[in-house]
Structures are given as C-alpha cells and as structure tokens.
Amino acid sequence: MDLIHTRIIHEGAGHWTVDFVGDDGEAVSVKVVDQAVTSEKEVVAHAKQILVELTAFGTRGGGPGVNSYDVLSNGNFDSDTPSKGRRH
C-alpha cells in the first residue's frame, strides 16, 4: 500500500480519527483519544507512533518477522519516497 491521502476527523473533546488511505483503496484507521493533542499535525504524528508501536508488538523486538513485508519494512512512515517495485 502506497499512502496517497491522510484524512483527519476531529470528533471533539480530544477524540480524533486518522485514516491513512492507500492507492489501492485500502485504509488503516487509528482512533486517538488524547486531550493534549490539539492540532492536526500533532494527531497525525501520534497516530503514526501508535502504528509503529503496534507493528513492534509480537514481531520486531519480540521475535523474527512473520512475513516478507515485516522483514522488509523499516517502519518509516515519514519517508516521502515510496518503495520502488514493491507491492505489499
């Protein structure tokens, strides 16, 4: 999945939903509940951190990769350059 769009929905009172939408139509949603997060930039950074922590659960740091994607991925959600020639 190559990220093409990030949709941020502020539901009020520290409740946010961040949708990471890929070029193939797949999407990952992260619900952020944090009173300290006040801007869209902060909530996207927080959602990315949640995904990195989730990726580490049971794989990185917890044992070998479970599939080829896990082995090849470096978890760098901030990279502006999509991986070339690889489809996950």
Side-chain angles (χ1 to χ4, degrees), residues 59-75:
T59 57
R60 293 184 199 127
V66 295
N67 57 40
S68 62
Y69 173 78
D70 187 59
V71 170
L72 295 172
S73 175
N74 66 2

Side-chain angles (χ1 to χ4, degrees), residues 8-63:
I8 304 136
I9 302 167
H10 185 218
E11 300 170 359
H15 296 268
W16 303 78
T17 299
V18 180
D19 296 322
F20 298 100
V21 182
D23 61 342
D24 54 4
E26 292 183 336
V28 175
S29 295
V30 178
K31 185 159 195 95
V32 176
V33 181
D34 190 343
Q35 299 294 333
V37 178
T38 58
S39 72
E40 288 186 358
K41 184 177 180 178
E42 289 175 338
V43 78
V44 169
H46 191 75
K48 288 178 182 179
Q49 184 59 40
I50 290 170
L51 289 174
V52 169
E53 291 171 9
L54 181 62
T55 302
F57 180 73
T59 57
R60 293 184 199 127

